[in-house]
Amino acid sequence: MTQNRGIVAAFLLAACQSVLAGSFINTNGSSEGVAINGFDTVAFHTEKKAVKGKPEFTFEWQGAKWRFTSEQNLQLFKGDPEKYAPQYGGNCAMGMADGYISKKPANGLFEIVDGKLYLFPDGNRDPYGTYNDWRRLAKRNIADGDRNWSKLKAQLEAR
């Protein structure tokens, strides 16, 4: 009986740790844990534009609240979140390529490469040319970002 309690305790501890671990999803700019500054991640794919989601179409996934413009987009996301979720948890794709985590919220600037969504925090206000630099060397930047992601993701989860 005591051995069973130990197993149960170990299981509960592991479950609690995963719930209490930090999220790697970009919720910068939100005190409510809303992902990617409230943009509808499905709309980037289907409408090819940045559109803010509505609170009535909210779904919790990966420790963050995702908002959508419609029930249809919500259901598409629920059916295959990995297909629609942005790479690097919605954190800045250029930051990932350069090996750092941006603390800025998503601001509507995006690129879809090979069906994958990449976000940038500066929107149309890109005084440093970050977005254009990333696009010019997209394949190399994606490879660098992919290499850096596991280390940076672990840092985000440890917070």
Side-chain angles (χ1 to χ4, degrees), residues 18 62 142:
S18 66
Q62 295 290 337
I142 290 169

Side-chain angles (χ1 to χ4, degrees), residues 1-129:
M1 188 71 124
T2 304
Q3 184 180 15
N4 287 345
R5 285 186 189 162
I7 292 169
V8 170
F11 174 78
L12 290 174
L13 179 60
C16 288
Q17 285 175 334
S18 66
V19 170
L20 298 175
S23 176
F24 60 87
I25 302 298
N26 181 349
T27 59
N28 294 328
S30 171
S31 61
E32 300 171 359
V34 175
I36 64 171
N37 207 15
F39 286 101
D40 179 339
T41 192
V42 173
F44 287 114
H45 293 270
T46 59
E47 298 179 39
K48 307 293 186 228
K49 64 181 180 179
V51 182
K52 290 280 190 159
K54 300 174 183 175
E56 60 265 31
F57 302 116
T58 299
F59 179 67
E60 190 159 330
W61 181 72
Q62 295 290 337
K65 296 173 185 167
W66 297 79
R67 291 198 174 152
F68 303 92
T69 57
S70 66
E71 182 67 29
Q72 179 181 359
N73 282 8
L74 170 64
Q75 293 306 319
L76 284 170
F77 185 79
K78 280 182 171 183
D80 192 357
E82 296 291 337
K83 175 180 179 178
Y84 296 104
Q87 300 302 293
Y88 318 129
N91 293 285
C92 177
M94 190 66 186
M96 286 298 138
D98 289 342
Y100 73 91
I101 303 162
S102 174
K103 294 185 177 166
K104 296 179 181 178
N107 204 12
L109 191 59
F110 71 100
E111 189 72 24
I112 295 179
V113 178
D114 297 330
K116 295 180 179 180
L117 174 63
Y118 298 88
L119 298 180
F120 305 86
D122 293 318
N124 294 324
R125 300 175 307 277
D126 190 11
Y128 305 108

